[in-house]
Amino acid sequence: MTDPQTVLTERVQQALAHAFGAEHADADPLIRPSQFADFQANVAMSLAKRLRRAPREVAEAIRAELSDFPGTVEVSGPGFLNITLDDGWIAVEAQRMLADPRLGVGTVTPTQTVVIDYSAPNAAKEMHVGHLRTTIVGDALARLHEHVGNTVVRQNHLGDWGTPFGMLIEHLLDIGEEAAVGQLEAGMGTEFYQAARVKFDGDEAFKQRARVRVTTLQSGDPETLRLWHVFMDATVRYFNKVYGRLGVTLTDADIAGESMYNPMLERTCADLEASGTAELSEGALCVFPPGFTGSDDKPLPLIIRKSDGGYGYATTDMAAIRYRVHDLKAARILYVVGADQALHFRMVFAAARQAGWLPDEVSAEHVQIGMMLGKDGRRFKTRSGESIKLTDLLDEAVERATAAIADRGYDAATQAEIARAVGMGAVKYADLSVSHDSEYVFDFDRMLGFTGNTGPYMQYATARIRSIFRKAGMEPAEAQGAITPGEPAERALSLHLLGFGELVSQVTAQSEPHRLCAFLFETASLFSTFYEQCPVLRSDVAPEVRASRLALCALTLRTLETGLDLLGVPVPERM
């Protein structure tokens, strides 16, 4: 099947070439959905000035070249082209989509290796709500890229190295390995860190032990590394519990923390200095990428090695870029990281290009993640001002979902299963349905609502379609009747579904999962109208009409379920 808007773009561009010459064939036809027809093309308005002709005259010339078009083309107003597709064309394309296992989603050519850096919690702290968006958005992008055929390399850039690990390892020794592992596996990383910090700030002997431990860790002392592994293994087991609850596809094989790059940092600095990309400035080794200045109008440095010889985030990020381009063979690198790191990543990308480590043919993009706010419009925190534990938030989501479906008569096991799916789906969909770079208000009441563009509404839409097939005594896959959209609501739903394949391609290319959410919400809304206006199983419905509507129900269900799966949103069988 073919996306209607893509077909129209190609046909109008052919008409432009025939009417006005090949040099106009690449003009944007400016095709948009219209309330007066299926689509409206506004190219005549923009092209008229260049052609020195009246817009309506240009529109008439284009219309004349579309005489064999599968539908009607009318000129309205000063030069708008109103385009209505033929019902037969829509029916044929909808049938092709029903028969297509991929629902019109093509695979990219050529395929690329896409490295996606996301989640990246700090191993020395608890996972909190700040990690939620980077994890969910990054995982959706990974799913989308794999679906269109790209090779995806997930990179969970854990904060698992550095000076804090001296005091963390010493605290582990003080309380014993078994007790430490128990705390870390239970998600008490923040409490563990805080206890170590109190001792570091108040006990001089502990501080000295911690500093010595940092040295032995960095020098590769076997016993210190064993203790570090005890700490990290317990922490990762906890992270995996959270990922499992969220349905996130990250595994241990995707961990590429700061520790992985530690052996590369000395060479990173040496190579940057040897090539002349980095220079000493006030004792620190810095890169001054062009175009970046501070408030004093002086060049802004990207510090690669501190004046005390220590390394920072920039050092690791430069090493990571070189590794991802040279070793992983990345054609595209996506960094799903908070928007507050925008300047840092712009400078790192510029410095990497300056060094020749990020060639022009490789794309490095910061997928900026906006802040999560509370209802008061401030950063989402507890009343005491602390970051909210992610597990606490997920627990509350499930508890609220359980209450929302408590009166539906399910047994305890079924109710628990549905509540988990609804709770996780609500949290994930709320995140994904807004543009990733925008701030959004975390509001349980809204995100768990069964109306509007919410996860539960989308899940309920799929459950309602499944209930139709249970009443019909058949599986959705068995609905293979000829789709003949005779009523306006049938036609509108069918036409909308045809845009799914192109939409998924655009969402993947542009890293905009919120647009897929918008498409799915529109799908569910159109289906609701169809369901109200076009009886499916009523006894007075003709057999061929029933078969057509069941086939359209099946196509809608597959589209919704496929789209939600690409977003990582679970879909329960019943609601």
Side-chain angles (χ1 to χ4, degrees):
M1 49 77 56
T2 310
D3 170 55
Q5 205 155 333
T6 301
V7 170
L8 295 179
T9 296
E10 293 173 353
R11 292 299 300 273
V12 173
Q13 286 181 327
Q14 290 171 7
L16 290 172
H18 291 154
F20 310 116
E23 66 271 21
H24 298 293
D26 60 350
D28 185 350
L30 300 173
I31 294 172
R32 306 289 185 268
S34 171
Q35 59 180 327
F36 305 109
D38 292 333
F39 298 95
Q40 186 178 83
N42 299 336
V43 64
M45 309 296 289
S46 61
L47 197 59
K49 189 173 182 180
R50 205 166 14 144
L51 295 172
R52 297 182 180 179
R53 295 168 66 174
R56 190 173 179 91
E57 180 186 342
V58 173
E60 290 286 0
I62 298 170
R63 187 190 62 78
E65 296 293 338
L66 294 171
S67 57
D68 62 341
F69 185 78
T72 61
V73 182
E74 297 178 349
V75 178
S76 69
F80 302 118
L81 287 163
N82 288 337
I83 303 171
T84 302
L85 290 160
D86 184 77
D87 289 355
W89 186 90
I90 295 173
V92 168
E93 294 301 316
Q95 203 69 42
R96 289 175 61 189
M97 183 175 178
L98 181 65
D100 182 2
R102 292 184 57 80
L103 297 171
V105 180
T107 53
V108 292
T109 304
T111 59
Q112 296 181 320
T113 294
V114 181
V115 173
I116 307 181
D117 183 328
Y118 69 102
S119 191
N122 189 334
K125 303 268 184 84
E126 161 73 62
M127 281 187 80
H128 57 76
V129 294
H131 299 114
L132 182 64
R133 297 197 78 190
T134 59
T135 301
I136 290 171
V137 172
D139 206 58
L141 294 176
R143 290 167 179 264
L144 284 159
H145 275 282
E146 284 181 332
H147 191 66
V148 301
N150 285 325
T151 299
V152 173
V153 181
R154 294 163 174 80
Q155 296 277 272
N156 193 355
H157 194 90
L158 299 182
D160 64 354
W161 199 255
T163 54
F165 281 87
M167 68 179 189
L168 293 171
I169 291 173
E170 287 301 318
H171 182 55
L172 180 149
L173 287 170
D174 285 354
I175 67 173
E177 291 182 32
E178 185 176 349
V181 167
Q183 286 186 30
L184 295 168
E185 286 185 342
M188 298 176 65
T190 296
E191 292 87 344
F192 190 99
Y193 176 88
Q194 290 171 343
R197 188 78 216 185
V198 166
K199 287 196 287 188
F200 185 86
D201 292 339
D203 184 336
E204 190 61 34
F206 180 87
K207 180 183 288 188
Q208 290 305 314
R209 283 165 47 203
R211 286 175 170 168
V212 170
R213 186 64 68 178
V214 170
T215 302
T216 59
L217 177 64
Q218 292 177 340
S219 65
D221 171 63
E223 175 59 12
T224 302
L225 286 175
R226 185 190 71 79
L227 293 168
W228 176 81
H229 278 293
V230 169
F231 181 97
M232 284 305 308
D233 290 349
T235 301
V236 168
R237 284 193 291 272
Y238 161 67
F239 289 162
N240 287 340
K241 291 178 186 176
V242 177
Y243 293 147
R245 292 187 69 183
L246 284 169
V248 169
T249 57
L250 285 168
T251 68
D252 289 358
D254 303 317
I255 293 174
E258 293 173 355
S259 61
M260 172 182 156
Y261 298 104
N262 189 60
M264 308 178 193
L265 302 187
E266 184 177 349
R267 182 185 168 193
T268 296
C269 294
D271 289 352
L272 288 171
E273 188 171 16
S275 68
T277 305
E279 60 187 80
L280 288 173
S281 177
E282 299 180 17
L285 185 65
C286 305
V287 177
F288 291 90
F292 295 90
T293 55
S295 56
D296 56 1
D297 291 331
K298 293 182 179 179
L300 200 60
L302 183 70
I303 300 175
I304 305 299
R305 186 180 62 226
K306 302 173 187 177
S307 57
D308 63 2
Y311 304 121
Y313 292 126
T315 329
T316 304
D317 286 333
M318 289 292 286
I321 281 188
R322 182 154 67 166
Y323 169 78
R324 290 165 179 177
V325 173
H326 184 269
D327 295 82
L328 298 181
K329 310 299 182 186
R332 188 176 181 189
I333 312 173
L334 305 180
Y335 290 79
V336 187
V337 183
D340 56 351
Q341 297 296 310
L343 176 61
H344 168 77
F345 279 108
R346 287 202 307 272
M347 293 186 71
V348 167
F349 298 160
R353 293 204 186 279
Q354 188 177 347
W357 296 356
L358 186 61
D360 292 342
E361 62 272 17
V362 178
S363 169
E365 305 156 45
H366 179 195
V367 180
Q368 299 185 28
I369 302 298
M371 190 185 303
M372 185 187 295
L373 307 176
K375 290 184 181 180
D376 58 2
R378 299 179 181 179
R379 184 187 288 269
F380 192 40
K381 292 180 178 290
T382 64
R383 290 182 179 178
S384 62
E386 297 176 354
S387 292
I388 295 175
K389 286 187 176 183
L390 186 49
T391 51
D392 290 346
L393 181 145
L394 300 182
D395 288 342
E396 186 173 353
V398 174
E399 289 170 7
R400 286 173 175 257
T402 302
I405 63 169
D407 60 350
R408 304 202 174 187
Y410 294 117
D411 62 79
T414 302
Q415 179 173 285
E417 182 182 347
I418 294 173
R420 282 193 296 270
V422 171
M424 294 305 99
V427 169
K428 295 181 77 171
Y429 192 88
D431 238 330
L432 293 163
S433 61
V434 297
S435 178
H436 60 73
D437 58 351
S438 65
E439 297 177 339
Y440 91 103
V441 175
F442 190 94
D443 181 354
F444 269 127
D445 292 333
R446 185 194 65 79
M447 66 175 57
L448 282 163
F450 283 83
T451 58
N453 190 16
T454 68
Y457 176 75
M458 300 307 305
Q459 292 168 322
Y460 177 71
T462 65
R464 182 164 66 168
I465 299 174
R466 285 200 169 273
S467 73
I468 294 172
F469 285 99
R470 282 195 294 272
K471 291 175 183 176
M474 63 187 296
E475 291 295 321
E478 296 171 354
Q480 296 294 323
I483 297 176
T484 54
E487 296 295 325
E490 290 176 290
R491 186 183 185 280
L493 176 58
S494 300
L495 180 60
H496 173 74
L497 291 172
L498 295 180
F500 180 67
E502 179 62 23
L503 186 280
V504 169
S505 298
Q506 292 176 7
V507 164
T508 306
Q510 298 167 17
S511 301
E512 294 178 334
H514 70 282
R515 291 182 55 204
L516 178 53
C517 291
F519 180 92
L520 297 176
F521 176 59
E522 180 69 10
T523 301
S525 300
L526 288 169
F527 180 83
S528 182
T529 302
F530 156 77
Y531 186 71
E532 292 169 2
Q533 298 180 5
C534 303
V536 179
L537 302 178
R538 208 167 64 191
S539 59
D540 61 343
V541 176
E544 65 274 10
V545 174
R546 171 189 167 112
S548 169
R549 290 176 179 174
L550 282 170
L552 186 54
C553 287
L555 180 57
T556 304
L557 177 63
R558 282 179 55 209
T559 303
L560 289 173
E561 289 185 335
T562 300
L564 290 171
D565 183 63
L566 291 174
L567 295 169
V569 175
V571 181
E573 287 281 323
R574 301 169 185 264
M575 285 286 281

